[in-house]
Structures are given as C-alpha cells and as structure tokens.
Amino acid sequence: MLVVIGDLVADLIVLGGSMLERGTDNPAEVRLTRGGSAANVAVAAVSRHPVRFIGCVGDDTLGRTLVRDLEDAGVDARVQRTGRTGAIVVLVDAVGERTMITDRGAAAELGPIDASWLTDAEWVHLPLYGFTSPRSRQALLEVTRGLAERGVPVSLDLSSTATMRALGGEVLNGIIAEVAPSVVFANADEAALAVELRCEPAGSVVYVVKRGGDPAVVRFGGESLEVPVDRVPDVLDSTGAGDAFAAGYLTAAVAGATAYDSARAGSVLAMSALRRAGAL
C-alpha cells in the first residue's frame, strides 16, 4: 500500500485569471475541483498501485463531497474531521502557470494518526505543506519515527517556495533530518531556494529536481543523471503536474524500478496533468 498523508481541499480554478482589471468584471472560465497535493498524488497513483490517503477535512458538506470523490477514484480514504474544509483559489495564466491563494482550513489541523492506518504501508509520501503547523508537524514526525523502526521508505516533496521560506532553513533542515527521506522531490525554484537556505538533501537521499519542459535531474551519492521529458505544446494548466510526477515516480519505485526509470515514469504521468484544468 502506498500511503500519502496531507491535504485534501477544494480548488477553485480560474482560467484566464492572471490579468485582472481592478474594480470591474473580469470574464474567466471557473471550475471547482478536488485539490490538495497529497490528494492529487493519491488519485494520480491509484490506477497503478493501491493507495491510502490520510488527512483532515471539515465536518461539512464540502469535506464529505471531497472524501467521496477520493473513494470514487479508488483511493482508500482515512480522514480526521474538525473545523471547516480548506479551499484554494488557483489563478491560471495564458501559458498554464498558476498562482495560488491558499486557505488550508482543517488540513492544517491534522492530529495524531491512528497507527492501524499505517500497518500495511509499503511507502509513505509527505508533501511539505503538512509540516507548516505545529500540530500536524508533530503528527507527521511521530509517524516517520514509527516507519523508520519498520524500515518503510518515506518521500518528501518540498512543495512550495513560500512554505520553505516560512519554515526557514534551520527548521527545514531539522525536518529533513528527522524524516530521513529516501527520496526528496523539488521543482527548479524550490531546488534553488534549498541551496540558498542551505538545506539541499545529500548523502544517500535520492534528490529529484523537476525542471518543467527541461530534463529532470536525479542526484544520488554524488552522481547526477538527466531524465528526458517530452514537452507538451499548448499547456492548459500546470496545477497538479508535480503531484502527478511524484505519483508516477512512487508507483514505479514501489514496483522496484531504478531512480532513473521512476523519474521517467513520473515525467510521462505529469504530461497528462498539463492537458486539463485542475489536478488529475
């Protein structure tokens, strides 16, 4: 079982929303979809390997709808409920790049996780968003301690430059040290900031850097390999592409693929996310 722990929220996708005229109407195409990095990874991966999602949503209609959406996709959803379900406004520009206005809501209130939800875990994936609030950070660190004792590999996605800056280099280094991930994912901007914050993964960690349409880079043990990426013409929306990459990588890795082949599988799955509005 691939277990993904983190956010399940609603995404309000605004296509054509990057050039706004203040104080008047701004026509755009607006879609309400399921979002949250962890939930995106779970749905993108589930057709390739059994997946369990663990997170926290509000005890409200939106939360129940989002959980049902995960279950309809085939994901085994285990959720805590408190407060109100989070939402993100995603403004997508003409070339598919997105700017996000985030309210994580209940997702930030993840508490101690039932150990029985992790007994059959083969691999656990953690987006960095889950470490931003003290409560959820403590819950995730407790989980990783138990996984380390059982030898279950963990992957960490650096997720967001804003999140990295908010945590700061000292805290981020502490998180990486305690989680002891087997694999760390970053995009080019996050990788550059990791250098600035002096928190680049090293040693035995497989460090996967996604660079859009340029080859991805896999670093491990002092070696660096470039992984070809097929360019997608006319990108509609890049929302969830990084999560799809992680899903492709992880399902290949769980099946025993090399880091190079896993990254190639990730790049192929990410392509499909670029051709639709919202995440997979």
Side-chain angles (χ1 to χ4, degrees):
M1 179 71 73
L2 170 61
V3 179
V4 187
I5 309 176
D7 291 7
L8 172 60
V9 298
D11 276 358
L12 187 68
I13 308 291
V14 183
L15 299 172
S18 62
M19 300 293 291
L20 301 179
E21 183 180 354
R22 186 178 181 186
T24 188
D25 293 323
N26 290 269
E29 182 180 340
V30 180
R31 303 185 186 183
L32 181 64
T33 68
R34 177 248 324 128
S37 179
N40 294 343
V41 172
V43 172
V46 73
S47 66
R48 294 161 174 79
H49 195 84
V51 179
R52 175 172 300 132
F53 167 84
I54 298 174
C56 185
V57 298
D59 188 12
D60 48 32
T61 300
L62 181 57
R64 288 186 286 273
T65 299
L66 292 172
V67 171
R68 187 165 58 248
D69 181 88
L70 280 186
E71 293 172 339
D72 288 346
V75 175
D76 177 13
R78 310 288 180 95
V79 297
Q80 302 169 7
R81 297 185 187 274
T82 188
R84 57 181 177 76
T85 301
I88 301 175
V89 177
V90 184
L91 305 178
V92 183
D93 67 17
V95 295
E97 187 55 86
R98 73 275 188 272
T99 299
M100 293 171 286
I101 304 168
T102 304
D103 175 5
R104 295 179 61 225
E109 299 303 319
L110 181 71
I113 294 170
D114 188 330
S116 68
W117 293 359
L118 295 157
T119 53
D120 53 355
E122 302 169 82
W123 190 299
V124 174
H125 178 66
L126 306 172
L128 188 64
Y129 295 115
F131 292 87
T132 54
S133 70
R135 176 177 170 82
S136 62
R137 185 187 310 167
Q138 182 62 33
L140 293 178
L141 292 177
E142 288 176 2
V143 162
T144 58
R145 292 182 194 113
L147 295 172
E149 293 172 0
R150 293 164 46 200
V152 177
V154 176
S155 50
L156 177 70
D157 195 322
L158 296 184
S159 301
S160 158
T161 54
T163 300
M164 292 171 66
R165 287 194 190 95
L167 289 169
E170 182 177 353
V171 172
L172 188 50
N173 268 316
I175 289 170
I176 293 172
E178 286 199 63
V179 171
S182 300
V183 179
V184 173
F185 297 100
N187 65 24
D189 291 339
E190 293 153 6
L193 183 57
V195 173
E196 181 182 329
L197 296 175
R198 299 182 180 179
C199 59
E200 268 194 306
S204 62
V205 179
V206 176
Y207 188 25
V208 183
V209 180
K210 303 160 288 181
R211 304 190 299 168
D214 294 327
V217 176
V218 177
R219 301 174 186 166
F220 174 72
E223 296 186 9
S224 182
L225 299 173
E226 287 197 347
V227 181
V229 173
D230 298 326
R231 287 185 175 272
V232 176
D234 302 322
V235 172
L236 178 62
D237 178 11
S238 60
T239 303
D243 299 325
F245 185 105
Y249 185 104
L250 295 173
T251 52
V254 169
T258 65
Y260 179 93
D261 289 339
S262 296
R264 180 58 184 159
S267 72
V268 171
L269 188 54
M271 290 172 58
S272 59
L274 298 171
R275 298 188 175 104
R276 55 173 287 169
L280 289 172

